[in-house]
């Protein structure tokens, strides 16, 4: 069984697919977290830069940090203007009081909360904020629910644990505000399969195990009445953003 550290660092081998096939973020998330004025923002666990895209669009200066060299290589190729550094939430490679905000898209469940909270307080300027965001497949849609039922045993314990927010709020400590939003991907069935292949619990499998599991996903999409014979699928996500204001 793969351990937490292996799952945490599993994305480098699927970095290109991650960049191409993971969903982005709704436009309303960044102003909710950061307000209208440009800020210097640490995108922590930035990966291939899917949330970095939104930060740049909103006019913010971004420093991207991730534990995976492979993921950052994708970010540097796509966004060469962004400073990108290898590092983790528990040892951020930035100076004290150097950013106005720290954000993490689809990443904070990989952080070790107590040392990470201390690092966030260290790098934040007075009045700074922390933003934590997750996309979650919207299983109110029947075929998406069927997909979730197929992968639940594989994913158990490795999907985003949004309870991490409460632990960060206590450790900082911080007051919390919440925004609910949504985003939809338009994908071919094979792109849906490929996107599942970027999940940590699939990325750590050997080639045979990965092929067998993704074959079951492919079969579901080929036979479910809502996806059978379709050339493109709308894959909906609910998005929840948390704005933590350290006290």
């Amino acid at each position: 069984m793969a351990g937490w550290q292996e799952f945490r660092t599993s994305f480098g081998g699927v970095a290109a697919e991650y960049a191409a096939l993971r969903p982005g973020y709704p436009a309303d998330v960044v102003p909710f977290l950061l307000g209208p004025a440009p800020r210097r923002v640490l995108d922590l666990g930035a990966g291939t830069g899917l949330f970095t895209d939104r930060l740049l669009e909103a006019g913010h200066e971004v420093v991207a940090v991730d534990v995976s060299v492979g993921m950052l290589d994708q970010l540097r190729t796509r966004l060469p203007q962004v400073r990108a550094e290898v590092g983790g939430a528990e040892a951020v490679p930035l100076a004290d009081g150097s950013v106005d905000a720290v954000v993490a898209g689809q990443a904070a469940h990989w952080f070790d909360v107590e040392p990470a909270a201390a690092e966030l307080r260290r790098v934040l300027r007075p009045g700074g904020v922390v933003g934590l965001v997750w996309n979650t497949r919207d299983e109110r849609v029947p075929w998406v629910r069927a997909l979730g039922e197929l992968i639940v045993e594989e994913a158990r314990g490795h999907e985003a644990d949004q309870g991490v927010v409460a632990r960060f709020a206590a450790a900082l400590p911080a007051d919390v505000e919440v925004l609910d939003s949504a985003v939809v991907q338009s994908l071919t069935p094979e792109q849906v399969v490929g996107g599942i292949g970027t999940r940590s619990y699939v990325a750590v499998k050997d080639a045979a195990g990965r092929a067998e599991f993704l074959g079951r996903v492919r079969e579901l999409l080929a036979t479910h009445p809502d996806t059978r014979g379709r050339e493109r699928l709308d894959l909906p996500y609910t998005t929840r953003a948390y704005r933590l204001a350290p006290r």
Side-chain angles (χ1 to χ4, degrees):
M1 178 68 177
W4 175 80
Q5 185 64 21
E6 186 178 354
F7 281 108
R8 185 191 194 196
T9 58
S10 65
F11 300 106
V14 293
E17 294 86 352
Y18 193 110
L21 298 175
R22 285 294 188 102
Y25 296 88
D28 55 353
V29 167
V30 172
F32 166 74
L33 295 176
L34 303 180
R39 298 192 180 205
R40 189 168 195 255
V41 182
L42 165 60
D43 189 356
L44 189 55
T48 64
L50 294 176
F51 196 49
T52 312
D53 287 332
R54 283 298 191 195
L55 296 167
L56 294 173
E57 288 169 5
H60 300 288
E61 177 190 354
V62 183
V63 181
V65 171
D66 198 274
V67 296
S68 169
V69 174
M71 296 285 270
L72 285 182
D73 284 346
Q74 291 289 321
L75 186 149
R76 292 185 179 109
T77 298
R78 294 176 54 249
L79 305 170
Q81 73 274 33
V82 173
R83 174 184 166 190
E85 302 283 351
V86 177
E90 304 78 16
V92 177
L94 296 183
D96 296 359
S98 57
V99 295
D100 301 305
V102 180
V103 299
Q106 216 73 21
H109 52 292
W110 296 118
F111 302 166
D112 189 353
V113 171
E114 292 294 336
E119 282 291 87
L120 300 191
R121 291 198 70 91
R122 180 183 67 78
V123 301
L124 279 172
R125 294 167 180 159
V129 297
V130 175
L132 307 179
V133 186
W134 284 272
N135 289 321
T136 304
R137 287 183 304 274
D138 188 349
E139 295 191 357
R140 292 172 296 183
V141 176
W143 77 265
V144 181
R145 183 169 60 251
L147 178 63
E149 290 168 353
L150 173 64
I151 67 179
V152 66
E153 289 303 321
E154 298 287 343
R156 194 174 301 282
H158 308 300
E159 292 285 10
D161 172 15
Q162 296 182 20
V164 74
V165 175
R167 303 202 301 276
F168 268 107
L172 284 167
D175 299 316
V176 182
E177 297 177 69
V178 182
L179 172 74
D180 286 315
S181 191
V183 66
V184 178
Q185 283 184 292
S186 177
L187 301 168
T188 67
E190 195 57 29
Q191 286 174 325
V192 174
V193 175
I196 297 298
T198 70
R199 303 289 168 173
S200 60
Y201 48 87
V202 183
V204 298
K205 291 178 177 290
D206 61 24
R210 179 181 170 88
E212 187 278 332
F213 176 71
L214 294 180
R216 286 190 278 139
V217 175
R218 194 173 285 112
E219 177 66 15
L220 169 67
L221 298 179
T223 58
H224 192 281
D226 293 342
T227 55
R228 183 176 58 231
R230 298 272 301 277
E231 292 186 0
R232 297 199 71 82
L233 303 172
D234 287 336
L235 178 53
Y237 290 83
T238 59
T239 303
R240 179 160 284 189
Y242 301 85
R243 185 181 188 273
L244 284 69
R247 295 195 289 269

